[in-house]
Amino acid sequence: GLSQKFSRVRMGCSCSTPEIKQSQPSRYLIGNSEASCVHYLTQTKLFWQIIVYNLEDKKFVSMVAEKSEINAFCETIIMSGYLFCSGGIKASSGFSITSEFKAMEVKAKDNKVIQLPGMSQVKYKHGIVGKKGISVYTICGLAEEEALIPICEEYDIEKEKWEQAGTLNFPKYCLTACMFSERHIYCFGGKPLLATQIELEQKIETLDTNELIKQWKVVDCKGDWRSSEPSWCAQTSAKDIMIFGTEQT
């Protein structure tokens, strides 16, 4: 299984393609990556192209997957040399929202997609973070008929199963999240279903992943901060998190 492969994979990704000439993408997605990498997905008429840039080596690597294997609007993360894809909209099933969870090894030549156990709920526009070699978390998002999902799910890589990891106090979609010091998840921004609840965009929540009972807590944030759709966030030091891109209201 995938859990056995993690013991053999070097942390980060090694990239060898010196230059990439891209076709014009019809859809552009940014995903979460480890600190050593940045990646994005472009969709052409025939396939998905996943492009990873290694910040240390300053080199690109390109992976290709059939359009049927990677779902549109899926949320992605690179962790321990693997690209994980969660949820999204499945074109081959009448553009339905899916609970699929898949992985691709970044260094592999065949770019084979590994089908993993699906999440408990179909979802898209959710958050995703990873705890290196241990877990992947998906946070909130939207289900069918634009129903808001209030829970966080944790995928245990060794056990190869999903479990609920608490309920957020202020569920949202189009949020961003990051793992801090391989222990705490911080969740930023996002949109509520009701326009009258727009002030919820200012709420920052955190989860201690080491606690046996998973309980999300609201951070007492000083200052007037609001971000409805941040694109990405990352830990930049022992005390700081940087948030990239936003749609301010």
Side-chain angles (χ1 to χ4, degrees):
L2 186 64
S3 60
Q4 296 176 339
K5 292 184 178 181
F6 265 91
S7 62
R8 303 194 299 269
V9 175
R10 180 177 66 84
M11 290 299 182
C13 59
S14 177
C15 309
S16 57
T17 306
E19 182 180 2
I20 290 177
K21 295 182 179 179
Q22 303 174 44
S23 56
Q24 189 68 26
S26 59
R27 189 172 291 116
Y28 183 77
L29 300 175
I30 291 288
N32 283 315
S33 300
E34 290 179 337
S36 60
C37 296
V38 176
H39 77 282
Y40 62 92
L41 283 66
T42 62
Q43 183 185 17
T44 68
K45 292 182 179 180
L46 300 176
F47 55 82
W48 282 97
Q49 186 176 30
I50 302 100
I51 300 172
V52 183
Y53 181 69
N54 189 299
L55 300 176
E56 297 175 351
D57 297 342
K58 297 182 179 180
K59 293 181 180 179
F60 287 97
V61 64
S62 175
M63 301 185 296
V64 174
E66 297 292 332
K67 287 182 68 175
S68 61
E69 294 182 319
I70 304 295
N71 299 314
F73 299 110
C74 63
E75 297 296 336
T76 62
I77 184 173
I78 286 182
M79 183 178 69
S80 302
Y82 282 85
L83 172 75
F84 291 90
C85 305
S86 62
I89 297 177
K90 195 172 184 66
S92 60
S93 299
F95 295 95
S96 59
I97 305 172
T98 180
S99 62
E100 288 183 341
F101 186 58
K102 304 176 180 182
M104 293 175 65
E105 189 173 355
V106 174
K107 293 172 61 178
K109 294 181 180 180
D110 57 1
N111 299 142
K112 181 180 179 181
V113 175
I114 304 169
Q115 187 71 52
L116 300 171
M119 300 174 288
S120 67
Q121 289 184 280
V122 299
K123 66 184 68 174
Y124 78 120
K125 294 186 178 181
H126 53 281
I128 184 170
V129 299
K131 194 173 183 178
K132 286 185 179 179
I134 300 175
S135 302
V136 176
Y137 297 82
T138 60
I139 308 163
C140 291
L142 292 176
E144 295 173 338
E145 299 181 355
E146 300 296 289
L148 194 59
I149 300 170
I151 68 169
C152 173
E153 294 187 69
E154 176 187 2
Y155 179 74
D156 188 306
I157 292 172
E158 183 177 354
K159 296 179 181 178
E160 298 184 342
K161 62 180 294 187
W162 288 92
E163 293 182 352
Q164 186 170 329
T167 300
L168 277 79
N169 299 281
F170 301 100
K172 306 172 211 176
Y173 64 98
C174 289
L175 55 98
T176 188
C178 68
M179 183 69 68
F180 192 86
S181 299
E182 294 304 316
R183 176 169 179 173
H184 294 91
I185 298 175
Y186 280 85
C187 179
F188 300 92
K191 288 188 172 183
L193 284 181
L194 301 177
T196 55
Q197 295 177 309
I198 203 71
E199 70 277 4
L200 299 188
E201 296 171 0
Q202 294 177 283
K203 304 295 184 181
I204 300 172
E205 296 195 49
T206 184
L207 175 71
D208 187 343
T209 62
N210 288 353
E211 288 185 349
L212 184 61
I213 299 176
K214 301 295 190 295
Q215 183 175 0
W216 284 85
K217 299 177 182 178
V218 178
V219 177
D220 183 15
C221 180
K222 296 179 175 60
D224 184 14
W225 180 87
R226 175 178 291 177
S227 177
S228 63
E229 292 190 53
S231 63
W232 187 52
C233 63
Q235 180 179 355
T236 56
S237 72
K239 295 183 179 180
D240 299 309
I241 294 173
M242 183 173 287
I243 305 166
F244 298 85
T246 181
E247 174 188 307
Q248 293 192 350
T249 57

